[in-house]
Amino acid sequence: ATLALTSANHGWISNVRAGSFTSQGNHIKSSTRLVAFNTDQAGGGMLGLTSVEPGSDGKWTVTVIPCHADLVTDLDFSPFDDNLLATCSADETVKLWRVCEPEQEQPGGAEVTLCPGEGRLELVAFHPTSSGLLAVGSTKTAQLWDTTLEPHGDQLQSLSWKQDGSLLASSCKDKKLRVFDPRAQLTPVQSAQGLQSNKDSRILWVKDSDHILTTGFDQMRGREVRLWDSRKLGSSLGSANLGTSNGHCLTDAPTRGVAMVPKLALDVMSCEVMRVLQLTDSFIVPINYHVPRKSGQEFHADLYPDTLGRTAAMSAAEWWKGGEKQQSPELPSSSAAPSRSPSSTSGLSSGFLPSPSQSGKAISSMLGPSSKFRHLQGAVLHRDTHFTNLKGLNLTTPGECDGFCANRHRVAVPLATAGGQIAIFELSQAGKLADTGLPTIQNSVNVADFSWDPFNSHRLVVAGEDAKIRVWQVPEGGLTETLTEPETILQGHTEKIYSVKFHPQASGLLASSSYDQTVRLWNLESGDEVKVLRGHQDQIFGMAWSPDGKLLATVCKDGKLRIYDPRKSADPVQEGAGPEGHRGARVVWVCDGKYLMVSGFDSRSERTLYLHSVESLSSGAIASAPTDVSPSTLIPFYDPDTSVVILTGKGDTRVYIFEIVPEAPYFLECASFNSSEPHKGLAFLPKTECVVQEVEVARGLRLSKTSIEPVAFRVPRVRKEFFQDDVYPDTAVWWESSLTASAWLAGSDGKHQSISLKPKDMTPVSEAPKEVQVRKYLPSSHYLEEKTDEQKKDEVCVCVCVCVCVCVLLLSE
C-alpha cells in the first residue's frame, strides 16, 4: 500500500504564537470541528482556538481564550461533543469549557471548575465510552474524578484509556508502566519496569487489542518504540529504534505538539485516511495522508471500516456499576459526520444540513445542572448615557468601601481633593462634565465609606476617619452649591469606621463597623446609638443584613464568620471558620437567606468564593469556587430574583458572574464581562431600571478613572417579543420600607411587597404559541458541485500542464 503525504504552504494556519512549555501533556488537540492549542500569551494561561476546516475564503480564523491563571499543561476534547473542552493547569484546577466556532464570541468563563487538590496538574483525558468521566494526572497521582489511584513513584508522564474504557494505563518518570482497573482496585493490576530512561515517555493502547505501545528513550540507542501485552507486563514483546534525529518535520521550526484529527472529519471522497496537525512556533501545519485512488466518484469501503460513534455508550454511574457497553460504530461517510465547508466533497450528499450534536446531554453527570444565565452578556450602553470628563477621582478609598454608590436618581463619587469631598451627579443629566469646579459635599475629614439610604434617595450617609458618621440631605434636582453642614452627626465609635450598611426592611436603621472592633446600630430618626455588637478579635472586613432583616452577618480578619441576632444578644449566635487568607473579604446572603457567600482569599492568596450554610456555620464552607490571583477583594452584588451574583474588584478589568444554587455543585459559572480599562467600582440600580424587552436582568454603573458608564447585563433570547417570565419572577419592592426603626427594635418584623415587571403590552413566553421546528434543506450542490465532462477534461489538461512546468523547473535547477 502506498500513502501520499501532502501539506501545501497555503494550507498552513498562521497567527499561532505557540511557545516552548514545560509540561507532560500535549499542546494541541482536535475534535471533528475545532482545534485547541497552547499559546505563549499570558504566560501560557491562554489557549488558541481555530477550526479543522478553513472558511469559505480558504483561510482560518484564530482566536484566543483566557483559561487559567497559570500554564495550561494539557487539554482534551470530549469524544461525544465537539465543543466540550477540558483543560488542566499549573494553577491546580481542571476546567470544562463550552467553546464556540472561532468566529463567534467565546465563553467568558468555564462551565465547571474542578479542584482535585493534588497540586500542579499535568494530564487530562476523557473516558472513551462513558459520559461524565475524566482522568486527571497530577505530579505523582492519577485521579478518576473523583477517585485517586495509588501514587506513582515519580513524575506522571502519560495516561491512556483502553478503547473499551475498561482499563487505564500510565507511564512514569520512575520508568514504570502501570495498568489500572479503577473499578476493581486503586492499585495497579499490572506493572513493569517499562523504559530504559526517565526522559519524556508516552503511552497508547493499540486499537481493538490488549497491547500497549510506548515511546521513550533508550540510553544507548536514543528514541524507541516498544510493544507490550497488558495482561502480562513482565517484558516487552518487541521494540524498534527511531534513532536520535527529530524525525520528519515539514518546517524549520521545532515541533511543539502533534494532534490527530478524528476519523469522522476526514475527506473520504478524496481517499484521505489520516490527518495530523503539527504545532510549531508560528504555524499549525495540516499533514494529510491519502491513498492514491481514483477519488471523488465512489466511496472506498475497504479503506474505511466502521469507526467509533459520537454517542456515549453509557453514563458514568453505569460504568462504575460494571457496565461494559460499547459505542455504536459509524461509517466515516455517513451523514452523521460533521458538516464541512461548502466547497468540500465529504460525502454529505443527502441534501440537508445535519442536526446539531445532542450528546452534550450525555455528560450532565459531570457538568451538573446548567445555568440558564451561563451566556449572560454585559454591554456598555450608548455614550449619550455616560458621564465623561470626570477629574480628580479618589483612587485610595479603603478596601471595605465599594468605591462609589448609586441609587435610581443619582451617583455619589469621592474626590481626591482635601476635606473628604464627594461629588453628586444626577443620572438624568448625563454628559460631559464641566471643566470648572463642581458643587460637592465637604466632610472635612477623609471618607472611609458612604451609602445611599435605600428608602430615601436624597439621604447620603458618610463614615469618616474621625469615627463620626455624617448624614447629608441632597436637595431635589441635585447639588447647586457646596454643602458643608450635615443634617446629623452620629458619634459613638472610638476609632476609624470601616463601613456602613442600611437595614433592608426598617427605615432609618443603620449598622456601622469600626477599628474599635464593634458593630453599632443607629436610629437616624432620633440620632441615637441603639445597639453595640461585640465579639470580634480583629478588623471587620465586611457585614451584611439577612433579607428579612432579622440577622446580621460579619466576616473578620481573625478568620471567623459570625451571625448576630441584634435584638436578642450583643454576642454572636453562631460562629464558623471564614476564609484562610487575611487580605480582605465580603459577605452576602444568598438563596433566600439559607446560605452565606463569602468572597475572600485562600492560603495561596487566590481569590475564592465560599458558600456556608446558615444552619450549620460551625461546619465550615460546603463549597468553594476559585477565580484568580489579584490583590483586590471581589465585591459581590446578588440578585435574589435570578440567584446570580456579579463580582469584581477595584482595579480589575473582568467581572465574574455565577449562579448560586442550593445543591451541588452550588456555583454555576457564567460568561464574564470584560472591559478595556480597569474600573474603580461597580454599583447596581433597582430591578425596575432594567429593560425587560431586551431581557436585561441587571443594570450597573461602571466607574472608571474619567467616566461613569451604564452596563446592561442581558440574557440572550430569540423570542424577545414575549415577556421572559422564567427570568423575571415578581420582584421585591426593596426601595420601600416595611416598618420603622423603632418598630423593628421593639420586635416587629417586616416583609417587602412584590410587583410584576411584565409590561401590559407583552405576553409571557410561557403562554406563547410553540414554534414549529423546520429542518433546513439544502440542495446537494451546496456540498458537491456537479461538473460536465467537458469541464472535467479542461481541468485535467490544466493540471497536466502545471505538473509539466513544475518538473521542467526542478530539472533545470
Side-chain angles (χ1 to χ4, degrees):
T2 304
L3 284 180
L5 170 66
T6 60
S7 180
N9 284 349
H10 66 266
W12 291 11
I13 306 171
S14 59
N15 301 321
V16 167
R17 286 190 58 183
S20 178
F21 303 105
T22 304
S23 70
Q24 301 301 319
N26 203 352
H27 300 307
I28 181 171
K29 288 290 177 69
S30 173
S31 70
T32 58
R33 295 172 50 237
L34 299 172
V35 181
F37 57 91
N38 263 15
T39 175
D40 64 3
Q41 300 181 55
M46 306 180 82
L47 278 183
L49 188 73
T50 187
S51 54
V52 171
E53 295 292 337
S56 57
D57 58 356
K59 298 180 181 180
W60 277 271
T61 298
V62 177
T63 187
V64 176
I65 306 174
C67 286
H68 290 271
D70 206 335
L71 171 68
V72 177
T73 51
D74 197 16
L75 57 151
D76 195 23
F77 278 103
S78 167
F80 317 120
D81 191 326
D82 285 335
N83 297 84
L84 183 64
L85 177 68
T87 61
C88 67
S89 169
D91 68 5
E92 306 182 11
T93 63
V94 178
K95 294 187 178 182
L96 297 175
W97 305 85
R98 184 75 64 184
V99 293
C100 308
E101 297 298 323
E103 300 84 3
Q104 299 175 352
E105 183 178 356
Q106 298 300 322
E111 293 268 331
V112 170
T113 299
L114 310 175
C115 301
E118 295 291 335
R120 174 186 168 112
L121 304 177
E122 293 284 353
L123 304 163
V124 63
F126 277 102
H127 194 277
T129 63
S130 304
S131 63
L133 282 174
L134 194 68
V136 179
S138 60
T139 304
K140 292 187 178 182
T141 61
Q143 285 190 358
L144 181 57
W145 188 263
D146 53 353
T147 295
T148 304
L149 305 179
E150 181 185 71
H152 293 61
D154 208 326
Q155 174 69 62
L156 189 63
Q157 294 181 326
S158 183
L159 288 173
S160 179
W161 284 103
K162 190 177 179 181
Q163 189 174 8
D164 63 7
S166 60
L167 300 174
L168 179 68
S170 68
S171 63
C172 181
K173 197 173 181 180
D174 64 7
K175 306 179 187 179
K176 278 191 175 182
L177 176 64
R178 295 171 173 86
V179 176
F180 294 88
D181 183 351
R183 293 177 293 184
Q185 60 191 61
L186 301 182
T187 56
V189 295
Q190 290 284 332
S191 64
Q193 201 71 24
L195 304 170
Q196 298 300 315
S197 171
N198 60 6
K199 290 186 178 180
D200 193 22
S201 63
R202 291 292 183 267
I203 186 170
L204 183 69
W205 288 86
V206 180
K207 182 180 178 181
D208 296 331
S209 76
D210 292 304
H211 293 153
I212 297 173
L213 195 69
T214 62
T215 63
F217 290 83
D218 182 277
Q219 293 177 340
M220 300 297 295
R221 297 182 296 169
R223 300 192 302 175
E224 67 170 10
V225 178
R226 289 193 177 190
L227 188 65
W228 307 79
D229 188 335
S230 65
R231 297 164 296 187
K232 43 184 178 180
L233 290 179
S235 60
S236 66
L237 302 177
S239 63
N241 177 247
L242 300 179
T244 58
S245 69
N246 288 330
H248 182 76
C249 183
L250 294 179
T251 68
D252 294 331
T255 299
R256 301 303 183 191
V258 176
M260 183 82 73
V261 176
K263 286 281 188 181
L264 289 175
L266 301 181
D267 188 354
V268 297
M269 300 307 291
S270 68
C271 298
E272 182 186 15
V273 294
M274 184 169 64
R275 191 185 311 171
V276 174
L277 301 175
Q278 177 188 13
L279 177 66
T280 70
D281 289 340
S282 304
F283 296 95
I284 295 176
V285 183
I287 306 171
N288 309 80
Y289 293 83
H290 297 261
V291 175
R293 296 273 184 93
K294 190 175 182 180
S295 61
Q297 296 182 0
E298 60 179 289
F299 174 70
H300 297 268
D302 60 319
L303 300 180
Y304 301 104
D306 289 355
T307 189
L308 290 179
R310 300 176 65 251
T311 301
M314 53 191 157
S315 66
E318 291 175 311
W319 185 84
W320 278 114
K321 292 177 182 178
E324 299 291 347
K325 297 178 183 178
Q326 297 302 305
Q327 293 164 269
S328 300
E330 291 183 17
L331 282 170
S333 61
S334 71
S335 61
S339 61
R340 300 163 65 86
S341 60
S343 61
S344 173
T345 57
S346 60
L348 289 175
S349 57
S350 56
F352 60 88
L353 289 171
S355 299
S357 169
Q358 299 298 317
S359 60
K361 298 178 181 178
I363 57 167
S364 59
S365 58
M366 174 177 289
L367 295 181
S370 178
S371 172
K372 70 177 70 173
F373 306 103
R374 63 185 179 276
H375 299 304
L376 192 66
Q377 299 171 350
V380 177
L381 299 185
H382 193 272
R383 188 174 176 83
D384 290 347
T385 62
H386 299 188
F387 289 89
T388 59
N389 197 37
L390 177 61
K391 297 180 179 180
L393 177 66
N394 183 4
L395 303 178
T396 60
T397 53
E400 293 75 26
C401 176
D402 290 352
F404 80 122
C405 63
N407 58 34
R408 68 172 65 193
H409 297 296
R410 50 192 60 90
V411 185
V413 179
L415 302 179
T417 51
Q421 297 188 41
I422 296 177
I424 306 296
F425 305 121
E426 299 293 308
L427 291 178
S428 60
Q429 301 173 13
K432 183 178 179 180
L433 301 176
D435 292 324
T436 57
L438 298 171
T440 62
I441 293 175
Q442 293 190 353
N443 291 277
S444 72
V445 295
N446 290 337
V447 172
D449 193 22
F450 50 104
S451 178
W452 290 108
D453 187 332
F455 313 126
N456 182 347
S457 62
H458 296 277
R459 178 187 280 172
L460 181 70
V461 169
V462 181
E465 291 188 355
D466 60 354
K468 296 179 181 179
I469 300 174
R470 292 167 173 82
V471 182
W472 301 88
Q473 194 74 19
V474 177
E476 188 72 34
L479 291 181
T480 55
E481 59 182 5
T482 297
L483 300 184
T484 57
E485 293 296 328
E487 183 182 64
T488 308
I489 296 180
L490 308 177
Q491 299 185 62
H493 283 296
T494 58
E495 296 186 48
K496 173 183 171 180
I497 297 173
Y498 295 130
S499 60
V500 288
K501 298 289 181 184
F502 274 97
H503 193 277
Q505 299 279 350
S507 61
L509 187 61
L510 182 74
S512 62
S513 62
S514 165
Y515 272 92
D516 61 18
Q517 299 179 7
T518 67
V519 173
R520 299 175 188 247
L521 303 189
W522 308 85
N523 186 340
L524 298 189
E525 305 308 324
S526 63
D528 297 330
E529 175 189 299
V530 292
K531 296 284 182 181
V532 179
L533 308 181
R534 308 185 187 279
H536 299 92
Q537 303 300 316
D538 209 325
Q539 179 180 352
I540 303 169
F541 284 143
M543 57 183 178
W545 287 100
S546 61
D548 59 10
K550 296 179 180 180
L551 304 173
L552 181 72
T554 64
V555 59
C556 184
K557 191 175 181 179
D558 62 14
K560 295 288 186 180
L561 188 61
R562 295 175 172 89
I563 294 179
Y564 290 85
D565 187 341
R567 291 177 295 185
K568 292 183 178 180
S569 173
D571 297 315
V573 294
Q574 281 199 72
E575 285 189 2
E580 299 177 53
H582 303 291
R583 303 180 59 179
R586 295 296 180 93
V587 61
V588 63
W589 297 73
V590 298
C591 300
D592 296 323
K594 297 177 181 177
Y595 296 92
L596 289 174
M597 194 213 74
V598 180
S599 65
F601 297 83
D602 64 11
S603 57
R604 301 185 302 274
S605 296
E606 183 175 13
R607 297 196 292 191
T608 305
L609 309 182
Y610 301 92
L611 196 66
H612 298 257
S613 173
V614 172
E615 293 182 353
S616 56
L617 203 61
S618 60
S619 301
I622 60 173
S624 63
T627 56
D628 60 2
V629 177
S630 181
S632 61
T633 304
L634 286 171
I635 302 171
F637 162 76
Y638 178 72
D639 177 21
D641 295 347
T642 59
S643 292
V644 166
V645 63
I646 303 175
L647 311 101
T648 193
K650 288 184 284 186
D652 287 4
T653 58
R654 182 175 182 179
V655 177
Y656 288 94
I657 303 174
F658 292 85
E659 182 184 359
I660 302 180
V661 293
E663 64 276 331
Y666 300 102
F667 291 99
L668 303 179
E669 189 170 2
C670 305
S672 59
F673 166 71
N674 295 279
S675 58
S676 58
E677 60 175 324
H679 38 250
K680 311 305 176 184
L682 189 65
F684 286 85
L685 304 179
K687 205 59 171 286
T688 51
E689 303 304 304
C690 295
V691 180
V692 298
Q693 291 85 351
E694 295 296 328
V695 201
E696 183 181 330
V697 295
R699 171 72 65 93
L701 296 175
R702 174 184 173 273
L703 175 67
S704 71
K705 189 176 180 179
T706 59
S707 65
I708 301 173
E709 305 168 348
V711 180
F713 293 87
R714 299 164 178 161
V715 180
R717 290 288 174 92
V718 176
R719 309 178 75 184
K720 292 183 180 180
E721 66 272 21
F722 296 101
F723 176 68
Q724 308 292 318
D725 50 344
D726 60 321
V727 298
Y728 291 115
D730 288 354
T731 190
V733 186
W734 56 260
W735 49 92
E736 294 180 3
S737 63
S738 58
L739 72 168
T740 64
S742 299
W744 183 85
L745 291 167
S748 299
D749 293 315
K751 184 178 181 180
H752 289 302
Q753 296 180 344
S754 296
I755 59 171
S756 172
L757 297 176
K758 186 184 81 68
K760 295 181 179 179
D761 59 347
M762 293 185 74
T763 302
V765 71
S766 60
E767 301 174 9
K770 302 297 181 182
E771 288 186 322
V772 178
Q773 299 294 327
V774 180
R775 174 167 284 183
K776 297 180 180 179
Y777 286 84
L778 293 178
S780 58
S781 59
H782 181 79
Y783 302 101
L784 181 62
E785 295 180 3
E786 297 294 341
K787 298 183 177 70
T788 65
D789 291 340
E790 289 300 321
Q791 288 175 318
K792 293 176 182 178
K793 288 179 182 179
D794 291 341
E795 289 180 358
V796 170
C797 291
V798 172
C799 291
V800 170
C801 292
V802 171
C803 291
V804 170
C805 292
V806 171
C807 291
V808 170
L809 288 173
L810 292 174
L811 289 173
S812 65
E813 292 181 356

